[in-house]
Amino acid sequence: MNKIILVTGASSGFGALTARHLADRGHTVYASMRDTAGRNAPQVEAAARYAREKGVDLRTLELDVQSDASADAAVRAILADAGRLDGVVHNAGHMVLGPAEAFSPEQYLQLYDVNVVGTQRVNRAALPHLRAQGRGLLVWVGSSSTRGGTPPYLAPYFAAKAAMDSLAVSYSTELSRWGIETTIVVPGAYTAGTNHFAHSGKPADAARAAEYDTGPYAGVPERILEGLKALEPADANVDDVAAAIARVVDLPHGQRPFRVHVDPSQDGAETVNAVGDRVRREMYRNLGMEDLLRPVLR
């Protein structure tokens, strides 16, 4: 069945790949991004060209996840254009690389605004319509770092992704009785095929970062990237993440998994549910609300 899907942060990387995979499967996809008339104009044209050449329904949409007004306007535009919205893929995000101490508090706030608060803006715009329908799907693009290995120099990004993951878990139980399903897709640290590392932000306090670069942590950033690359098999393909998201969207309501790990190194996949599931199960049993856990434990 054709679904109307909004994908955030779809100018490149996982977002652009996911939008194309979903369109290829017959869905109407709104690939959203900011600055569609400026910096991302080439990406808008690339999406339009893909739609023409493949004969699929891939549309682009202006959406800045750091703006309430932009999120509201984007959802209104989809409803006016397509008449409904069936699901949201929360993909928009930004990475930074450097010693945690060298990032300013303002940088932390901005990173949380994009990676965490941005999902809240889109949710507040979209959820009233999904709840009114009594059916819907939220797909959150997480990170293996929230439960697996956490190499240094990525602390602000990892902290923001962990916060987003926690928000997704809480939303899942608060939305299940509305008929809205949740899936958290957990990619590994793909070092090729996306612009995450190439476009990662740098610390604002260059002098403090230099103290790390010339001190006992000299050479660590390069070794981190080498170590992450070494964990990936030669056939690791970021396209697998987009394909996994598309498969989740295609599954019948009630059969979607709560977490999907897409990581050749299986970082964090084995331990992600062990303790948390046991504690949640006991708490919700005591509250007499075990039905809320079904989406999480499925």
Side-chain angles (χ1 to χ4, degrees):
M1 175 185 173
N2 168 271
K3 297 182 178 68
I4 312 299
I5 305 295
L6 166 63
V7 182
T8 68
S11 63
S12 63
F14 293 146
L17 291 171
T18 297
R20 285 159 173 72
H21 267 271
L22 289 169
D24 289 343
R25 289 172 178 249
H27 301 297
T28 297
V29 184
Y30 288 85
S32 72
M33 61 197 79
R34 61 183 177 179
D35 200 14
T36 53
R39 184 184 66 181
N40 282 323
Q43 284 68 39
V44 170
E45 174 52 34
R49 184 168 59 252
Y50 186 92
R52 289 193 302 270
E53 293 174 354
K54 300 290 186 177
V56 297
D57 197 354
L58 175 61
R59 315 177 189 188
T60 51
L61 180 72
E62 175 73 28
L63 199 172
D64 180 356
V65 298
Q66 292 185 271
S67 164
D68 291 4
S70 181
D72 291 340
V75 171
R76 284 197 305 269
I78 293 172
L79 294 172
D81 191 33
R84 72 178 198 275
L85 175 63
D86 298 310
V88 176
V89 178
H90 286 302
N91 170 75
H94 184 57
M95 177 183 284
V96 295
L97 180 66
E101 181 188 350
F103 289 95
S104 69
E106 291 74 21
Q107 284 184 292
Y108 274 80
L109 288 171
Q110 183 180 31
L111 199 66
Y112 275 68
D113 195 35
V114 173
N115 290 280
V116 187
V117 184
T119 65
Q120 178 68 355
R121 292 189 179 97
V122 175
N123 276 352
R124 282 180 55 80
L127 285 176
H129 308 284
L130 299 184
R131 289 191 292 103
Q133 292 171 177
R135 186 64 62 93
L137 171 66
L138 296 184
V139 177
W140 306 69
V141 180
S143 168
S144 61
S145 65
T146 61
R147 296 293 191 280
T150 52
Y153 279 40
L154 289 160
Y157 174 71
F158 286 169
K161 296 303 283 189
M164 191 207 77
D165 189 283
S166 294
L167 186 64
V169 171
S170 292
Y171 256 122
S172 70
T173 55
E174 294 181 12
L175 294 175
S176 62
R177 287 181 177 175
W178 292 101
I180 300 172
E181 294 188 304
T182 293
T183 295
I184 303 172
V185 174
V186 187
Y190 288 92
T191 58
T194 74
N195 294 321
H196 284 324
F197 285 93
H199 292 170
S200 59
K202 306 302 179 187
D205 192 338
R208 199 165 301 197
E211 294 177 13
Y212 280 79
D213 292 340
T214 58
Y217 284 83
V220 164
E222 293 76 17
R223 292 174 65 184
I224 291 170
L225 291 177
E226 290 171 4
L228 290 173
K229 288 179 182 178
L231 290 174
E232 298 176 7
D235 61 350
N237 187 348
V238 295
D239 208 48
D240 293 342
V241 177
I245 294 172
R247 284 194 295 271
V248 166
V249 172
D250 279 344
L251 284 171
H253 187 83
Q255 296 183 26
R256 294 177 175 118
F258 182 66
R259 283 189 191 273
V260 177
H261 285 260
V262 192
D263 181 7
S265 69
Q266 290 299 296
D267 185 14
E270 295 180 0
T271 61
V272 67
N273 290 322
V275 176
D277 282 355
R278 177 178 58 78
V279 172
R280 282 193 292 269
R281 187 182 289 111
E282 182 177 349
M283 180 186 72
Y284 279 83
R285 183 183 298 118
N286 291 340
L287 292 172
M289 296 190 298
E290 289 179 274
D291 67 294
L292 297 183
L293 272 185
R294 289 184 192 126
V296 180
L297 301 181
R298 183 167 54 244

